[in-house]
Amino acid sequence: MDISSRMLLTIGYDGTRFQGWQVQPGALTVQSEIEAAIARLCPGGSPRVHASGRTDTGVHARGQRLHFDSPRPDFRPETWMRALNGMLPHDIRIYHAQSVPAHFHARFDALRKEYRYFIHRGRVLPPEFRLYRFREPRPLDLPLMRQACELLRGEHDFASFSALRGSGDEHTVRTLHELSLHEYDADTLCLHAVANGFLYKMVRQLAGTLLRVGLGKLDLSELRKLLENPFRGSETVSAPPQGLFLWRVTYPEPIE
Amino acid sequence: MDISSRMLLTIGYDGTRFQGWQVQPGALTVQSEIEAAIARLCPGGSPRVHASGRTDTGVHARGQRLHFDSPRPDFRPETWMRALNGMLPHDIRIYHAQSVPAHFHARFDALRKEYRYFIHRGRVLPPEFRLYRFREPRPLDLPLMRQACELLRGEHDFASFSALRGSGDEHTVRTLHELSLHEYDADTLCLHAVANGFLYKMVRQLAGTLLRVGLGKLDLSELRKLLENPFRGSETVSAPPQGLFLWRVTYPEPIE
């Protein structure tokens, strides 16, 4: 593999304190914290970092990826990892750093993304999970929710499951490789969603839709209509952000 | 069972924001938050609450118990649970409420307490666990740590594992019914400790001692000496508070 000064990082964050990933004037964001940490290590030439995609306020990451062009040829990937973990607040951590070819791009080269959404089923949400799980104590029809997952999997126009409204000329077809419900522990359901890409708020709208199916508020024929008549004005409900983790981003080999 | 106006609550909290359990002037504590919530529900007669024991700054609870004498005869246990969960911040939750006899005492009647201490074994502590696990990435000799647990189990004078110093006239014999290491998940060890009672900082000192054994810094003969020559001035290392949860408190039947 051709090695350049381009670095690819795998990072995790607790989204609670941040107004999402992306730099915005006057806002505390994950991107601004990382760029500030790099700037402290590279006086005079601080690069912009590029993530695989944005995450919203309150959404967490276990495996976000980002690239940047290292202004420090003396820093090996291991050095970047240690130096940044030394600089960053503990709610952002670098899990891994690697050199990648100069043409690599964290967003454009992403093959698949995986999100996980954690749903607490108990009557009371344990305090230590309050920022990381969404509580839904009402009875859920899991077999019906699993049928809904099956309907949603595959290639579809997911416009009905996007929060974007307006001109509608953006390409809204995506392939949902996986959408499945797992019993994470006795009190917790976890929704796994893997796609070649997700529209704005799509995972939270899929989670919100599946919960409505499970609660008997939306039936499979209505769900089928949302898929067959994709339109952005649909009143699909988003599940809250705190249950959501960007779990993994996959690139073509040889990048791990 | 004789029913009185005495209520027993099972509660959980995230200890991060609090200076421990106990009311102290000018400090934010779990007890003061609960007493303030009860006071708002009972103008004119707000009772003191009595826990099974204190927890320190940063220590969490999954199953702390407390009792108080209800000034509201119109409130059933279920009403107390709902009303307090409506008043309290989300880092304190009431899991259960029940009526108990007038002579019941949450501290004096406690038969056993269980604590759990979570140790993250990976190189990087995921941000969402930073307040709930202690990170120890160095190799640990688990078989030796399990032998150390076996030595510590049973009835002993645990003075060497208490942070209290001074006159030494307090009774320091306790029975450790269980002390065992479990692989909670691929990256996490969990120490379970069950006793008829614990001395001040005893669980954290047991965790710190077991980690020193696992790292090869303390051998079993030195550990045996600490047990055979109990003394409060011993320089036993406390593990940090954030990995520790008060997990369960058990009372004689018929109280669950």
Side-chain angles (χ1 to χ4, degrees):
Chain A
M1 189 162 75
D2 169 37
I3 294 305
S4 71
S5 66
R6 192 157 281 193
M7 287 285 151
L8 171 62
L9 304 182
T10 306
I11 73 167
Y13 43 86
D14 177 333
T16 309
R17 218 166 47 95
F18 302 103
Q19 288 181 48
W21 163 263
Q22 193 170 31
V23 164
Q24 301 166 53
L28 186 70
T29 70
V30 181
Q31 185 185 5
S32 60
E33 289 279 311
I34 293 173
E35 290 185 349
I38 296 175
R40 286 166 66 194
L41 295 164
C42 308
S46 68
R48 177 117 290 198
V49 304
H50 300 269
S52 71
R54 307 175 194 178
T55 52
D56 286 339
T57 302
V59 174
H60 314 292
R62 185 56 91 84
Q64 171 68 290
R65 314 288 290 263
L66 63 90
H67 82 260
F68 66 97
D69 288 316
S70 169
R72 295 284 303 248
D74 54 323
F75 275 23
R76 290 170 304 126
E78 174 68 22
T79 315
W80 272 113
M81 177 170 162
R82 282 172 196 258
L84 287 174
N85 278 335
M87 291 281 181
L88 286 164
H90 287 274
D91 50 1
I92 304 177
R93 291 287 91 185
I94 314 296
Y95 289 119
H96 188 244
Q98 60 190 296
S99 295
V100 287
H103 55 77
F104 175 87
H105 196 288
R107 177 148 69 100
F108 304 135
D109 290 349
L111 273 185
R112 291 179 179 210
K113 282 187 189 179
E114 176 176 355
Y115 280 90
R116 296 192 180 179
Y117 194 91
F118 292 87
I119 301 159
H120 184 78
R121 307 282 298 115
R123 189 171 166 203
V124 177
L125 184 60
E128 65 274 24
F129 297 146
R130 72 194 183 285
L131 306 171
Y132 312 108
R133 297 187 188 171
F134 168 62
R135 186 174 74 93
E136 178 46 80
R138 291 173 287 179
L140 293 174
D141 184 337
L142 294 184
L144 198 65
M145 291 171 78
R146 293 201 163 104
Q147 285 181 49
C149 286
E150 205 178 313
L151 272 181
L152 289 158
R153 280 196 292 264
E155 187 183 80
H156 301 283
D157 184 333
F158 285 99
S160 304
F161 303 92
S162 164
L164 274 182
R165 293 173 188 215
S167 67
D169 57 0
E170 196 209 354
H171 181 63
T172 49
V173 173
R174 295 290 184 276
T175 300
L176 203 48
H177 299 291
E178 185 185 339
L179 187 68
S180 52
L181 275 171
H182 301 262
E183 317 225 358
Y184 179 78
D185 63 32
D187 284 328
T188 315
L189 277 179
C190 184
L191 178 70
H192 293 207
V194 180
N196 58 349
F198 290 90
L199 303 172
Y200 182 52
K201 291 204 177 167
M202 180 171 149
V203 188
R204 287 165 58 190
Q205 295 214 352
L206 290 173
T209 300
L210 288 170
L211 286 168
R212 291 189 68 211
V213 168
L215 292 166
K217 296 183 175 180
L218 185 82
D219 64 31
L220 296 186
S221 65
E222 291 167 297
L223 177 60
R224 208 173 278 116
K225 274 181 208 155
L226 285 170
L227 274 177
E228 287 168 1
N229 308 294
F231 86 113
R232 285 228 171 99
S234 72
E235 297 190 0
T236 313
V237 177
S238 287
Q242 73 270 20
L244 186 59
F245 285 75
L246 170 53
W247 201 259
R248 191 179 286 129
V249 184
T250 311
Y251 295 102
E253 291 188 4
I255 291 169
E256 275 177 23
Chain B
M1 189 162 74
D2 169 37
I3 294 304
S4 70
S5 67
R6 192 157 281 192
M7 286 286 152
L8 171 62
L9 305 182
T10 306
I11 73 167
Y13 43 85
D14 177 334
T16 308
R17 218 167 47 95
F18 302 104
Q19 287 181 47
W21 163 263
Q22 193 169 30
V23 164
Q24 301 166 54
L28 186 71
T29 69
V30 181
Q31 185 184 5
S32 59
E33 288 280 309
I34 293 174
E35 290 184 350
I38 295 175
R40 286 166 66 195
L41 296 163
C42 307
S46 69
R48 177 117 291 196
V49 303
H50 301 269
S52 71
R54 306 175 196 178
T55 52
D56 287 339
T57 301
V59 174
H60 314 293
R62 184 56 91 86
Q64 171 68 291
R65 314 289 289 265
L66 62 89
H67 81 261
F68 66 99
D69 288 316
S70 169
R72 295 284 302 248
D74 54 323
F75 274 23
R76 289 170 305 126
E78 175 68 23
T79 315
W80 272 114
M81 179 171 161
R82 282 174 196 258
L84 287 174
N85 278 333
M87 291 281 180
L88 286 164
H90 288 273
D91 51 1
I92 304 176
R93 290 289 92 184
I94 313 296
Y95 289 119
H96 188 245
Q98 60 190 296
S99 295
V100 287
H103 55 77
F104 174 87
H105 196 288
R107 177 147 70 101
F108 303 135
D109 289 349
L111 273 185
R112 291 179 180 211
K113 284 188 186 177
E114 176 176 355
Y115 280 90
R116 295 192 182 180
Y117 194 91
F118 292 86
I119 301 159
H120 184 78
R121 307 281 299 113
R123 189 171 166 203
V124 178
L125 185 60
E128 65 273 24
F129 298 145
R130 72 194 184 285
L131 305 171
Y132 312 108
R133 297 189 187 169
F134 168 62
R135 185 174 74 94
E136 178 47 79
R138 291 172 287 179
L140 292 174
D141 185 337
L142 294 183
L144 197 65
M145 290 171 79
R146 293 200 163 105
Q147 285 181 49
C149 286
E150 203 177 315
L151 272 181
L152 288 159
R153 280 197 293 266
E155 186 183 80
H156 300 284
D157 184 332
F158 285 100
S160 303
F161 302 91
S162 164
L164 274 182
R165 295 177 186 210
S167 66
D169 57 359
E170 196 209 353
H171 182 63
T172 50
V173 173
R174 294 291 183 278
T175 301
L176 204 47
H177 298 291
E178 186 186 339
L179 188 69
S180 52
L181 277 171
H182 301 261
E183 316 225 356
Y184 180 79
D185 63 31
D187 285 328
T188 314
L189 276 179
C190 184
L191 178 69
H192 292 205
V194 180
N196 57 350
F198 289 91
L199 304 172
Y200 182 52
K201 291 204 176 167
M202 181 170 149
V203 189
R204 288 165 58 191
Q205 296 215 350
L206 290 173
T209 300
L210 288 170
L211 286 168
R212 291 189 68 210
V213 168
L215 292 166
K217 294 183 175 180
L218 184 81
D219 63 31
L220 295 186
S221 64
E222 291 167 297
L223 176 60
R224 208 173 278 116
K225 273 181 208 155
L226 286 170
L227 274 177
E228 287 168 0
N229 307 294
F231 88 113
R232 286 224 171 98
S234 72
E235 298 189 358
T236 313
V237 178
S238 287
Q242 74 270 20
L244 186 60
F245 285 75
L246 171 54
W247 202 259
R248 190 179 288 130
V249 183
T250 312
Y251 295 102
E253 290 187 4
I255 292 168
E256 275 176 24

